Amino acid sequence: MKTIAQHIDYLLICNDSVTVPGLGAVVAYGSPARYDEQGSMWFPPVRALSFDPSRKADDGMIARSIARRESLSDAEANEIVARGTSQLRQALASDGMVALGHAGTLRVDDNGNMSFTPADARWLSPATMWLPQIEMRPVATATGVAHEAERLERRVRLWPTLLRRAGSAAACVAVIFAIAWALTSNLRTAPAEQFASVGPAPDRVESLIPQPGKAEAPLILVINKHPDAVVDVESTGTAVVKDAPGYYLIVASLPDLDEARKFASMYPSMHLGILEMDGRYRVFAARADSQAHAYAAAADPAIKSVFPASWVCRR
């Protein structure tokens, strides 16, 4: 009986049916892929089994399989098949059921009616038995999950961009504050009269500088040094220079000559001169033929203490 069951399993792999003489035929047929809506599962295509009790005539397939395997004659193989099928019918009659190898179980009731319960037949489909069962979610749910995943991905990509923009904005604000602080600090330390060159001229200079006392004699420039030296100014009157080239140490820039002379008269001890240039009148404390000497004059404590915000102008 065991030999018959083994050959039934073997023959079903390559054949659509195998007849057990005197009992019936085990039939294998293809079952396409199917979808289980209740479980939301896709099942791969397989071969299914059934039993046909009307096909009891021996087709000789089991006997030939035994003869090939055991190297027996047809008569010897047919004798083994007869003994095996006899044992199957006896087990079915006594127990009411008998297993036909891995194909399934054959049962008989009290009225002699046979029924067949097929077993899992994936082993009969070598080409598709490796395919897995696939769980399929409803389209609406899958779409919602995809949208949520896309939203999270956009949020993750957005954070670095926002941080970079915030950092750039913070850096710009810091630079603006630093420039504003530097400008306001420098302007606060300069005398009010130094603002004449960077803004509109006031109506009256007297509003920017202390009112002078009694003015001394006017000043003029007298050069009494060698060409590379800083010019000293003697108090012989305030002269207006127009075309004398050189480097001038400017202490104030005013819109007209009267305002410039009033400013110069405020500092009689500094021997200030006036340079007419570009439509303005610049009050200077020294003139030199080289830039180095002009800056040296600016660093002179006697000038720097009175005009800390002076600058060098080239004529």
Side-chain angles (χ1 to χ4, degrees):
M1 185 172 67
K2 183 177 180 181
T3 301
I4 297 294
Q6 291 176 345
H7 284 273
I8 291 174
D9 293 342
Y10 170 74
L11 292 170
L12 284 174
I13 294 176
C14 301
N15 298 275
D16 292 334
S17 66
V18 177
T19 301
V20 181
L23 288 178
V26 181
V27 180
Y29 59 92
S31 175
R34 62 186 180 87
Y35 177 67
D36 181 8
E37 294 184 359
Q38 184 175 2
S40 299
M41 297 290 294
W42 270 104
F43 294 92
V46 294
R47 295 177 73 198
L49 295 172
S50 63
F51 187 79
D52 186 358
S54 64
R55 296 168 55 181
K56 297 181 180 181
D58 188 4
D59 57 6
M61 292 181 63
I62 296 178
R64 288 193 297 272
S65 179
I66 293 174
R68 285 193 302 269
R69 180 177 179 181
E70 306 295 339
S71 300
L72 300 175
S73 63
D74 292 343
E76 292 173 331
N78 288 327
E79 184 179 351
I80 294 175
V81 172
R83 288 199 303 268
T85 54
S86 176
Q87 292 172 357
L88 288 174
R89 286 193 296 269
Q90 291 175 5
L92 184 61
S94 61
D95 300 334
M97 58 181 295
V98 66
L100 300 179
H102 292 91
T105 303
L106 187 63
R107 292 179 170 85
V108 63
D109 58 16
D110 296 338
N111 296 324
N113 298 320
M114 285 192 297
S115 63
F116 179 74
T117 303
D120 186 359
R122 282 181 296 178
W123 56 276
L124 291 177
S125 308
T128 59
M129 62 183 299
W130 57 273
L131 294 175
Q133 300 173 3
I134 302 175
E135 181 180 2
M136 301 293 290
R137 291 186 178 183
V139 175
T141 303
T143 303
V145 172
H147 288 170
E148 180 66 17
E150 183 179 358
R151 186 180 65 82
L152 293 176
E153 184 178 359
R154 285 200 304 267
R155 180 180 297 179
V156 170
R157 291 198 305 263
L158 183 62
W159 270 111
T161 303
L162 292 177
L163 291 177
R164 286 195 298 270
R165 291 180 179 176
S168 300
C172 291
V173 172
V175 170
I176 292 173
F177 272 106
I179 294 174
W181 178 85
L183 291 176
T184 55
S185 297
N186 289 337
L187 292 175
R188 284 197 301 269
T189 58
E193 56 269 15
Q194 305 302 319
F195 296 131
S197 62
V198 294
D203 294 335
R204 300 292 298 172
V205 176
E206 288 85 352
S207 62
L208 299 178
I209 60 176
Q211 293 297 323
K214 183 178 180 181
E216 297 182 0
L219 303 177
I220 61 171
L221 294 176
V222 178
I223 300 175
N224 58 5
K225 297 290 184 178
H226 59 81
D228 292 333
V230 178
V231 175
D232 290 334
V233 181
E234 296 181 356
S235 57
T236 58
T238 303
V240 179
V241 180
K242 293 184 178 181
D243 299 324
Y247 294 88
Y248 292 83
L249 182 61
I250 307 300
V251 298
S253 177
L254 300 166
D256 57 62
L257 181 60
D258 291 338
E259 299 294 345
R261 283 175 173 170
K262 288 180 181 180
F263 178 82
S265 65
M266 290 289 301
Y267 304 93
S269 62
M270 298 303 298
H271 307 292
L272 301 178
I274 300 174
L275 172 65
E276 182 181 354
M277 181 178 176
D278 299 331
R280 296 187 67 83
Y281 296 87
R282 292 173 170 81
V283 182
F284 63 90
R287 187 194 71 82
D289 292 331
S290 68
Q291 187 178 26
H293 287 91
Y295 280 112
D300 187 345
I303 297 177
K304 187 175 182 180
S305 61
V306 180
F307 305 109
S310 61
W311 68 94
V312 174
C313 176
R314 181 182 178 183
R315 174 62 177 172

